Amino acid sequence: MKTRTLKKDKVNIITLGCSKNMVDSEILSGQLIANELDVVHESAKKDHNIVIINTCGFIEKAKEESIETILHNVELKRQGRLDKVYVTGCLSERYKNNLEEEIPEVDAYFGTMELPMILKQFEADYKAELIGERLLSTPQHYAYMKISEGCNRTCSFCAIPLMRGMHVSRTIESLVDEAKRLVQRGVKEVLLIAQELTYYGLDIYKKRELPKLLHALADVQGLEWIRLHYAYPSKFPMEIIDAIKDRPNICNYLDMPLQHASNNMLKAMKRQITREEMEDLVGTIRQRIPEICLRTTLIAGFPGETRDDVEELKNFLQRMRFDRVGIFTYSHEEGTSAHELTDNISAEEKEERAQEIMEAQQEISLEKNQEKIGKTFKVLIDKKESGRYLGRTEFDSVEVDNEVIINSKIKLNVGEFVQVKITKAYDYDIEGEVVD
Ligand code: SF4
């Protein structure tokens, strides 16, 4: 019995967590639409009667947000405002049995690899031919491309392999095909994502084939920007840097989470690399492409982290001068090997250390932005907000990096590239004017 006079079911997909989860939601949307279902993504409207929550189970904060979202929607169902609530994604993969016991009002829970099972709930069939045909949840001029699933690494703090399984690469052919379809739909920038980007190909091609994939994607007509996220530093294939150097439509940008810089912590985190090796790697990359933008991610408050470790990390940041830095506070995740250690750093102390490290980085970020004043950059317009346009250079990824604030008397179009001369610099963002 339907709660409202809806002619047919309307599904709202809610995505929590990372860009990889978002791609899964986009693929699910594409499959449901191909089976003639009415689908929206993150709709604030109340015109849907079914919700699918794609959860995140990475760290404590993310798990709490996922559970709150589930509870909110089962309450809407109890009030008769929803007919069905389904849950999928990493939290569901990891804690299915507990969730079924604790929140039985959910109609069904699915793991991260159970798309066909979700479709069955709608008497829908999985359509393999739909590669790339997904309901983009990003603005139409950029899209994420997930080149592989899962991870074979054993970082001691990380629960992702528990939820996403072992590394599985997609073929170069299927990714090139997907990129062509995305360009036909107006996409100009693709952001390559994976749990571990540099492992690409080791399973299906028995060797690291990311450089080959990059050249194949760079050959796709109309693809203006190709951006690399989640590279792993250990055994880093330098051919990747050569591909970035040789192909103008591969952004001079590399996101490479390093997590820490004290050898004591790197060992405890099982990162398979030392601070010295990371310094050599960064040095070699910069030697080959001096203007490359390096982004990294760090963890504050890992078990046993001493004051000296924090100072070593800050010192490393001062010397390496990364362009972009993100930081997480350590989350004690059962099922990871770090869970055997004592989580001896308090939540407040973790936050303070994270703050301290970001303050050190803020100065570097401002100095680097000030060096851009007077220079002109190719900028992709992302949106218009309070009368000003916001965009990005090739050195800025979406949502996590800096923005370019553009003052323009003439109308600019979202999704177009313009030349912008930088006039002002802030801690994170820069400002400029359109020049011909
Ligand atoms: S590389 Fe390490 S941190 Fe990244 S997903 Fe794999 S195990 Fe987790």
Side-chain angles (χ1 to χ4, degrees):
M1 196 276 301
K2 286 209 170 19
T3 49
R4 284 188 213 93
T5 55
L6 283 174
K7 291 189 208 56
K8 72 177 203 181
D9 286 338
K10 184 162 185 174
V11 183
N12 180 26
I13 297 180
I14 299 172
T15 303
L16 303 167
C18 68
S19 51
K20 284 148 265 182
N21 233 18
M22 188 199 285
V23 170
D24 291 351
S25 292
E26 293 175 348
I27 291 168
L28 170 59
S29 312
Q31 290 283 338
L32 291 170
I33 290 166
N35 283 279
E36 287 157 23
L37 277 136
D38 204 349
V39 179
V40 285
H41 196 243
E42 311 276 353
S43 167
K45 291 198 203 119
K46 300 194 174 11
D47 60 354
H48 52 271
N49 67 320
I50 297 176
V51 160
I52 302 177
I53 306 165
N54 189 2
T55 59
C56 177
F58 182 40
I59 54 176
E60 207 48 44
K61 284 188 196 126
K63 292 190 274 188
E64 284 160 16
E65 185 192 11
S66 293
I67 289 165
E68 275 155 29
T69 308
I70 298 171
L71 292 174
H72 171 70
N73 283 282
V74 290
E75 175 53 26
L76 292 178
K77 183 183 164 196
R78 193 187 61 72
Q79 295 169 4
R81 295 160 63 187
L82 287 175
D83 294 320
K84 300 272 185 193
V85 176
Y86 296 111
V87 173
T88 184
C90 291
L91 185 85
S92 185
E93 173 74 34
R94 195 170 171 194
Y95 300 106
K96 196 172 182 185
N97 302 341
N98 312 58
L99 289 166
E100 281 170 343
E101 256 172 55
E102 286 154 29
I103 317 177
E105 299 86 348
V106 166
D107 293 274
Y109 290 94
F110 303 95
T112 50
M113 310 294 173
E114 296 184 329
L115 173 56
M117 314 270 278
I118 301 175
L119 296 174
K120 266 216 186 79
Q121 297 292 323
F122 300 89
E123 290 137 26
D125 310 318
Y126 177 71
K127 299 179 186 297
E129 71 279 12
L130 282 185
I131 292 179
E133 294 309 326
R134 47 189 161 114
L135 178 68
L136 287 185
S137 52
T138 52
Q140 297 299 309
H141 57 278
Y142 67 81
Y144 292 96
M145 278 182 69
K146 185 156 66 167
I147 69 170
S148 62
E149 184 56 275
C151 186
N152 291 9
R153 299 274 180 185
T154 56
C155 305
S156 63
F157 52 82
C158 185
I160 292 172
L162 303 173
M163 302 177 283
R164 294 280 168 173
M166 300 298 275
H167 184 104
V168 180
S169 304
R170 288 182 53 198
T171 64
I172 292 178
E173 295 70 28
S174 74
L175 288 162
V176 169
D177 185 39
E178 181 176 340
K180 287 180 178 161
R181 291 177 188 224
L182 290 171
V183 168
Q184 275 157 11
R185 297 169 55 187
V187 168
K188 294 181 178 156
E189 175 187 10
V190 292
L191 299 94
L192 303 186
I193 57 174
Q195 305 302 351
E196 210 276 55
L197 208 73
T198 49
Y199 207 95
Y200 179 77
L202 267 176
D203 53 329
I204 55 175
Y205 302 123
K206 304 300 169 231
K207 58 184 178 142
R208 295 173 187 272
E209 287 287 40
L210 183 59
K212 190 173 175 188
L213 170 64
L214 290 176
H215 283 290
L217 290 173
D219 290 340
V220 174
Q221 290 302 310
L223 199 47
E224 301 236 6
W225 277 356
I226 300 164
R227 190 179 299 281
L228 280 65
H229 276 278
Y230 306 107
Y232 196 87
S234 168
K235 298 196 178 68
F236 182 90
M238 262 309 148
E239 296 79 11
I240 292 172
I241 300 302
D242 299 335
I244 294 176
K245 189 174 171 61
D246 300 343
R247 307 302 300 259
N249 60 345
I250 303 178
C251 297
N252 282 326
Y253 180 94
L254 182 68
D255 167 39
M256 185 164 60
L258 297 177
Q259 311 302 1
H260 213 289
S262 103
N263 285 335
N264 170 29
M265 287 290 101
L266 291 169
K267 194 153 177 276
M269 289 175 168
K270 299 184 181 168
R271 292 289 291 172
Q272 302 160 340
I273 193 165
T274 64
R275 186 190 70 249
E276 293 77 10
E277 288 163 339
M278 294 195 306
E279 289 175 354
D280 291 350
L281 175 59
V282 170
T284 309
I285 291 174
R286 286 214 170 114
Q287 220 168 43
R288 299 205 182 177
I289 311 179
E291 70 280 11
I292 194 166
C293 173
L294 291 178
R295 173 184 177 80
T296 195
T297 308
L298 307 166
I299 293 176
F302 186 83
E305 186 187 58
T306 63
R307 207 45 251 168
D308 288 352
D309 293 322
V310 177
E311 289 309 319
E312 212 172 325
L313 178 53
K314 282 165 59 181
N315 190 302
F316 174 77
L317 289 179
Q318 295 297 352
R319 283 181 291 108
M320 292 297 110
R321 294 178 62 76
F322 288 99
D323 304 86
R324 318 272 181 262
V325 170
I327 192 154
F328 287 96
T329 53
Y330 172 72
S331 181
H332 206 44
E333 296 299 320
E334 74 271 0
T336 65
S337 57
H339 200 256
E340 285 140 34
L341 305 171
T342 310
D343 185 14
N344 63 333
I345 317 275
S346 71
E348 299 69 40
E349 178 62 18
K350 285 175 184 163
E351 286 300 340
E352 277 166 30
R353 292 181 181 188
Q355 184 62 31
E356 202 184 323
I357 290 158
M358 284 317 286
E359 275 160 20
Q361 179 59 25
Q362 190 172 344
E363 284 165 37
I364 296 169
S365 178
L366 175 59
E367 287 158 16
K368 284 187 172 255
N369 280 347
Q370 284 166 337
E371 289 160 13
K372 291 191 168 72
I373 294 177
K375 295 183 179 154
T376 298
F377 295 93
K378 177 182 177 179
V379 169
L380 179 56
I381 307 291
D382 282 324
K383 56 193 167 203
K384 187 172 185 183
E385 248 171 39
S386 38
R388 301 199 296 181
Y389 294 94
L390 296 174
R392 290 170 296 114
T393 69
E394 68 172 310
F395 307 120
D396 303 302
S397 187
V398 291
E399 285 170 15
V400 291
D401 289 335
N402 302 1
E403 285 184 312
V404 183
I405 302 159
I406 305 152
N407 306 306
S408 172
K409 299 188 189 61
I410 55 163
K411 181 179 178 315
L412 304 178
N413 300 317
V414 169
E416 85 173 309
F417 288 98
V418 291
Q419 294 294 322
V420 175
K421 184 170 183 181
I422 305 307
T423 54
K424 285 198 189 99
Y426 306 101
D427 290 345
Y428 293 109
D429 298 334
I430 50 181
E431 186 169 333
E433 278 141 14
V434 175
V435 292
D436 296 336

